[in-house]
Amino acid sequence: MAAGRSAATKIDWTRISSSLGLKGSTATSLQAFKKRNDDARRKLATLQQQPQTVDFGKYRSTLNNSTVVDEIEQHFKQFKPVTYDVGRQLKAIEAFEGQAVKSAEETKGKVDQEVAALSRTLENIETARPFDELTVDEVAAAQPEIDKRTEQLVSKGRWQVPGYKEKFGDLSVL
């Protein structure tokens, strides 16, 4: 158990979350686990500071009925603390760790994809020519659906885009 305690004290929580780049529910779960760990550690330190011996002689001299004290002392000497198998908790922690790592890797993959897409978009924005320098053919090549929609409207005999006058006003007076 001493080896477990020394290993637990060496955990660098901030390094874990920053090096793995944890976000969202994984980071929240890790913070909740850290809080439970800190609370248990504080409680253990408090309990270790409390006196662990009982002065039965003092109770015999204070109480009139020393047989009760003898009986309690006998029970106290026979008491053996229960040991717990922490294997189940360790397995749960390992499962949590595995899930956290898997979730972190998935998140990292999604973030990398989003960063790559945003980099491409930024590059397109930076290298784009000003709108007033574009030709109709260049706009149609960049967005083929505009050309298709225009052909569709012209084939139906419509020369104006529906809703254009409402949105931009009537330019026929110019």
Side-chain angles (χ1 to χ4, degrees):
M1 190 67 169
R5 270 189 244 139
S6 67
T9 58
K10 294 178 183 176
I11 294 175
D12 185 3
W13 294 100
T14 54
R15 186 170 156 250
I16 288 174
S17 50
S18 65
S19 67
L20 294 177
L22 301 179
K23 302 266 190 254
S25 64
T26 307
T28 305
S29 297
L30 183 64
Q31 290 298 332
F33 179 76
K34 179 187 179 300
K35 182 182 182 306
R36 288 193 311 270
N37 182 19
D38 291 342
D39 291 345
R41 219 181 274 247
R42 269 194 293 292
K43 188 173 183 178
L44 177 65
T46 303
L47 291 174
Q48 285 176 337
Q49 291 175 354
Q50 293 178 357
Q52 298 174 357
T53 58
V54 179
D55 184 9
F56 288 104
K58 179 179 178 189
Y59 287 108
R60 279 191 193 90
S61 65
T62 305
L63 298 173
N64 294 335
N65 190 355
S66 63
T67 57
V68 172
V69 177
D70 292 336
E71 188 177 324
I72 292 173
E73 183 177 14
Q74 180 184 10
H75 286 293
F76 182 78
K77 288 180 181 177
Q78 291 175 354
F79 174 75
K80 296 212 184 331
V82 177
T83 57
Y84 291 100
D85 180 24
V86 294
R88 192 180 78 186
Q89 286 84 0
L90 291 175
K91 286 179 185 176
I93 290 170
E94 289 171 359
F96 170 78
E97 179 183 4
Q99 183 64 28
V101 169
K102 180 181 173 188
S103 177
E105 289 172 354
E106 289 174 5
T107 302
K108 182 183 180 296
K110 289 176 184 176
V111 168
D112 288 345
Q113 289 175 350
E114 189 172 337
V115 166
L118 289 173
S119 295
R120 287 191 302 272
T121 302
L122 181 61
E123 183 180 336
N124 286 341
I125 290 171
E126 289 173 345
T127 59
R129 290 190 348 215
F131 185 75
D132 57 350
E133 293 178 13
L134 294 177
T135 65
V136 172
D137 293 333
E138 290 171 335
V139 172
Q143 294 289 328
E145 61 270 4
I146 293 174
D147 203 22
K148 290 177 186 174
R149 179 73 175 141
T150 304
E151 287 177 15
Q152 187 181 42
L153 288 173
V154 170
S155 69
K156 292 181 180 178
R158 297 186 185 155
W159 298 98
Q160 293 182 350
V161 177
Y164 184 86
K165 284 185 181 180
E166 290 81 11
K167 189 170 185 180
F168 298 107
D170 191 4
L171 298 177
S172 63
V173 288
L174 297 176

